[in-house]
Amino acid sequence: MEGVVYKSTGSWYSVKDADGRWWKARLKGTFKQNGLTSTNPIAVGDHVSIEPENEGEDTATITAIHDRENHINRLSPKGRHQQHIVAANVDQSLLIATLRDPRTSTGFLDRFLVTCELYHVPAILLFNKADLYGDKEWDLFAELEAIYSEIGYVVKLISLVEGKGVDEVQQLLLGKTTLVSGHSGVGKSSFINAVLGTAIKTQDVSGWSGKGQHTTTFAEMYDLPAGGAIIDTPGLKEFGLVNVKKAELSGYFPEMRARLNDCQFNNCLHLNEPGCAIKEAVRNGEISEERYVNYATILDTIDEKNY
């Protein structure tokens, strides 16, 4: 019997089979020792084989994980040198960001986008809370929209409070499995409520810190009424990269990737090397200076001893 993992709670998994029946499933005892290097051998979105444990009950044993089309990893919260599979078999990712209450840094955006590029997952940037924007935020949004749209990313603006822009975003979700992510407090749960037409748990932004409170403890997938599915992930405070080497990082910035062959040296890291086409493009305004600074910051955090 085959099914898809919809939720993981650490040791038990909610699995939906081809007939739409739900199973409470767990791994075989020896399965965790199968050479997997992540902290979670099974992720939401995985296609698995299951065997019912007792006739007439809804418990089952997961006997195999099918080959993944793709997956997205991040550094595990449990350890600096471990990785955690956020989700598997996704068609696209949607990162919800805000320009105030709380403000999402471009550094966080770029780390997320690098991960999506690494795993060949198309990314959508969705800016929420447009109802709170003043002149400063509108100017910043226009700047960010220009930067990210020009390099090939879909950029959308919504106000969940006013219900503006949601229908347009829903069209992007039809028939696809979409990973939904973002800092706590950006309106992720409210967005999911809006596209599902139902309510899941939400919490307000913490007044004392200005940062959102975590509302989702484990990743969970939901079927969309009009077709497709979304995978809700826990609110991320940071997005730690894994499996990225310093020499490869610039290849995950589309605007840099297009110019790599123009650098004087094949192993150029685009920092202090002569004849660097990337730095020349930054000086000419062809590459965003902020994106370049974020690149250099990410480069500095990569610890290749882990790989």
Side-chain angles (χ1 to χ4, degrees):
M1 187 182 300
E2 297 180 1
V4 177
V5 177
Y6 272 67
K7 186 176 183 179
S8 163
T9 59
S11 56
W12 286 93
Y13 303 88
S14 294
V15 177
K16 186 179 181 182
D17 68 21
D19 295 325
R21 180 176 175 180
W22 291 96
W23 297 87
K24 184 179 180 183
R26 55 187 170 186
L27 290 172
K28 291 174 66 175
T30 58
F31 200 60
K32 292 183 180 180
Q33 311 301 322
N34 200 25
L36 296 161
T37 58
S38 67
T39 56
N40 57 326
I42 295 180
V44 170
D46 267 328
H47 295 258
V48 296
S49 295
I50 59 174
E51 291 181 359
E53 291 185 345
N54 298 298
E55 189 173 347
E57 297 183 4
D58 61 356
T59 57
T61 300
I62 296 173
T63 57
I65 306 175
H66 299 184
D67 290 341
R68 294 171 175 142
E69 292 184 14
N70 60 31
H71 65 277
I72 290 185
N73 276 12
R74 64 181 289 240
L75 278 181
S76 172
K78 297 180 180 179
R80 187 71 185 166
H81 302 299
Q82 294 178 297
Q83 52 186 301
H84 178 83
I85 304 170
V86 179
N89 301 315
V90 298
D91 297 310
Q92 61 187 8
S93 65
L94 186 150
L95 181 65
I96 302 178
T98 46
L99 299 182
R100 58 177 296 180
D101 299 341
R103 177 171 174 173
T104 307
S105 72
T106 59
F108 181 83
L109 297 182
D110 289 340
R111 281 179 174 270
F112 184 85
L113 293 175
V114 164
T115 300
C116 292
E117 292 284 338
L118 172 64
Y119 294 110
H120 306 290
V121 176
I124 300 166
L125 296 179
L126 181 63
F127 289 88
N128 185 27
K129 303 191 181 182
D131 50 288
L132 300 180
Y133 286 12
D135 291 344
K136 178 181 175 183
E137 286 79 22
W138 282 114
D139 289 345
L140 179 57
F141 173 74
E143 179 184 336
L144 294 176
E145 182 182 33
I147 289 171
Y148 289 104
S149 296
E150 186 174 329
I151 57 178
Y153 294 110
V154 176
V155 181
K156 297 294 182 182
L157 179 69
I158 63 169
S159 168
L160 289 169
V161 170
E162 298 176 342
K164 293 181 179 178
V166 178
D167 289 345
E168 184 180 357
V169 177
Q170 282 181 309
Q171 295 302 310
L172 299 175
L173 307 179
L174 288 177
K176 296 183 177 180
T177 299
T178 305
L179 174 71
V180 180
S181 195
H183 282 308
S184 297
V186 297
K188 186 161 56 70
S189 294
S190 297
F191 172 78
I192 291 172
N193 291 344
V195 298
L196 290 180
T198 186
I200 59 176
K201 186 178 178 183
T202 62
Q203 288 183 345
D204 294 330
V205 172
S206 169
W208 64 268
S209 68
K211 298 179 180 178
Q213 302 297 299
H214 292 274
T215 59
T216 305
T217 306
F218 300 99
E220 184 166 5
M221 184 156 63
Y222 301 90
D223 290 324
L224 293 170
I230 52 176
I231 299 176
D232 182 21
T233 60
L236 303 175
K237 291 184 178 178
E238 61 181 23
F239 204 95
L241 301 179
V242 292
N243 300 331
V244 177
K245 290 184 168 60
K246 289 189 174 185
E248 300 170 348
L249 178 63
S250 57
Y252 302 124
F253 283 72
E255 69 274 41
M256 295 185 187
R257 184 167 61 229
R259 296 172 167 87
L260 293 179
N261 291 335
D262 298 329
C263 286
Q264 182 175 338
F265 299 104
N266 290 334
N267 60 348
C268 186
L269 292 179
H270 324 299
L271 297 176
N272 303 309
E273 301 90 342
C276 175
I278 304 303
K279 288 190 295 181
E280 182 68 20
V282 174
R283 283 192 290 268
N284 294 338
E286 298 166 359
I287 288 179
S288 158
E289 183 175 347
E290 189 165 7
R291 283 267 291 173
Y292 173 77
V293 170
N294 289 340
Y295 159 79
T297 301
I298 295 170
L299 191 71
D300 191 51
T301 65
I302 293 176
D303 181 3
E304 294 188 339
K305 293 194 296 290
N306 293 342
Y307 312 129

